[in-house]
């Protein structure tokens, strides 16, 4: 564990200063070869997110340290997509006190943000249905037991107007790759690639298709 902490410290500091560390912090570029590692199955009709092998277990302090080193790089790379959400999301409310490992996102470490329209998200399971215009996002990164650290995809849920898509609860899903490529958008570019998002979130239909972060990571922001 001490060796892992040392590796993470070096990596986080190096990323913060944009030092070239090779594949451990390399951003994925456009193209099928780079898309494949982030999903499982046919890259045009994936079944789920690719699971990070030998994912490290980080404490809150360690996870925050890594994220502080990566957050500027994540915002810059996601912003290459041209999506205004990717360019602005780090100015929104964050709902966790540290990045947490998400099994539904392939054991990557993620953070939950939401825009002002989605402020009821702070009530978590009591949030009810969020109104149109609500946007909930996750940025992500992975860390393995040997200290390999990689920026991960950016996940966006936009609540559209009633009637947009009954099965998805009128949510539009978007996924942006670490290098800025738009992987897929519901009823948009490469829509087939993000159908698995709809299927996964359908299990949370009673909660407006939303999964909420672990209780011990939640910020209590009140009404």
């Amino acid at each position: 564990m001490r060796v892992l902490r040392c590796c993470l410290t070096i990596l986080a500091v190096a990323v913060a200063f944009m030092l070239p560390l090779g594949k451990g912090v390399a951003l994925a570029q456009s193209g099928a070869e780079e898309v494949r590692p982030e999903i499982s199955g046919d890259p045009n009709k994936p079944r789920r997110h690719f699971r990070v092998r030998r994912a490290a277990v980080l404490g809150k302090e360690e996870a925050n340290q890594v994220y502080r080193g990566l957050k500027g790089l994540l915002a810059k790379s996601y912003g290459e997509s041209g999506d205004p959400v990717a360019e602005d999301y780090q100015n929104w409310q964050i709902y966790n006190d540290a990045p947490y490992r998400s099994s539904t996102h392939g054991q990557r470490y993620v953070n939950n943000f939401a825009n002002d329209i989605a402020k009821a998200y702070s009530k978590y399971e009591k949030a009810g249905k969020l109104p149109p215009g609500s946007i909930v996002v996750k940025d992500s990164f992975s860390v393995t037991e040997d200290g390999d650290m990689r920026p991960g995809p950016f996940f966006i849920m936009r609540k559209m107007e009633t009637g947009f898509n009954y099965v998805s609860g009128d949510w539009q899903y978007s996924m942006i790759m670490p290098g800025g490529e738009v992987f897929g958008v519901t009823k948009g570019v490469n829509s087939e690639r993000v159908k698995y998002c709809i299927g996964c979130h359908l299990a949370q239909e009673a909660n407006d298709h939303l999964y909420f972060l672990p209780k011990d990571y939640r910020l209590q922001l009140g009404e």
Side-chain angles (χ1 to χ4, degrees):
M1 191 63 180
R2 184 175 299 175
V3 173
L4 173 59
R5 287 177 179 172
C6 180
C7 290
L8 294 179
T9 300
I10 294 170
L11 284 167
V13 171
V15 171
F17 288 95
M18 301 296 287
L19 295 180
L21 288 175
K23 69 176 183 178
V25 294
L27 294 179
Q29 302 297 319
S30 300
E33 293 79 12
E34 287 73 29
V35 166
R36 290 178 186 274
E38 303 294 349
I39 49 84
S40 178
D42 183 344
N44 292 311
K45 293 183 179 180
R47 300 189 303 271
R48 58 175 173 80
H49 299 295
F50 174 79
R51 298 193 184 281
V52 176
R53 294 183 175 87
R54 295 173 55 82
V57 178
L58 304 181
K60 289 186 177 183
E61 182 179 349
E62 293 170 317
N64 272 322
Q65 182 181 23
V66 173
Y67 186 63
R68 283 193 294 269
L70 275 175
K71 64 184 299 184
L73 183 60
L74 293 177
K76 181 178 179 180
S77 60
Y78 299 149
E80 293 294 327
S81 67
D83 191 311
V85 170
E87 297 174 353
D88 192 47
Y89 79 96
Q90 289 186 3
N91 296 316
W92 297 356
Q93 178 63 57
I94 188 171
Y95 287 87
N96 48 288
D97 60 6
Y100 64 95
R101 198 168 71 164
S102 173
S103 60
T104 55
H105 294 85
Q107 303 295 353
R108 290 173 179 82
Y109 281 85
V110 302
N111 295 284
N112 293 41
F113 298 82
N115 67 354
D116 288 342
I117 299 175
K119 63 183 179 181
Y121 187 85
S122 65
K123 300 177 183 178
Y124 304 114
E125 286 84 359
K126 297 181 180 179
K129 286 193 174 183
L130 299 186
S134 296
I135 307 177
V136 180
V137 307
K138 287 183 174 69
D139 58 10
S140 72
F141 62 90
S142 64
V143 181
T144 63
E145 292 177 355
D146 60 2
D148 185 53
M149 179 173 60
R150 296 173 185 267
F154 184 55
F155 310 101
I156 307 173
M157 291 179 65
R158 291 180 172 89
K159 176 61 77 71
M160 310 299 281
E161 296 294 334
T162 301
F164 171 75
N165 190 321
Y166 173 78
V167 177
S168 72
D170 295 320
W171 287 101
Q172 180 189 63
Y173 295 89
S174 302
M175 179 172 164
I176 296 173
M177 302 302 285
E181 178 197 6
V182 178
F183 182 73
V185 181
T186 304
K187 291 194 172 182
V189 60
N190 295 323
S191 183
E192 290 290 321
R193 289 181 172 182
V194 291
K195 275 193 172 181
Y196 75 106
C197 302
I198 296 175
C200 179
H201 282 262
L202 188 59
Q204 290 295 309
E205 185 175 11
N207 287 319
D208 196 22
H209 298 248
L210 294 168
Y211 284 93
F212 298 101
L213 54 151
K215 291 183 178 180
D216 56 339
Y217 281 81
R218 296 180 183 183
L219 293 176
Q220 300 303 320
L221 302 170
E223 296 297 324

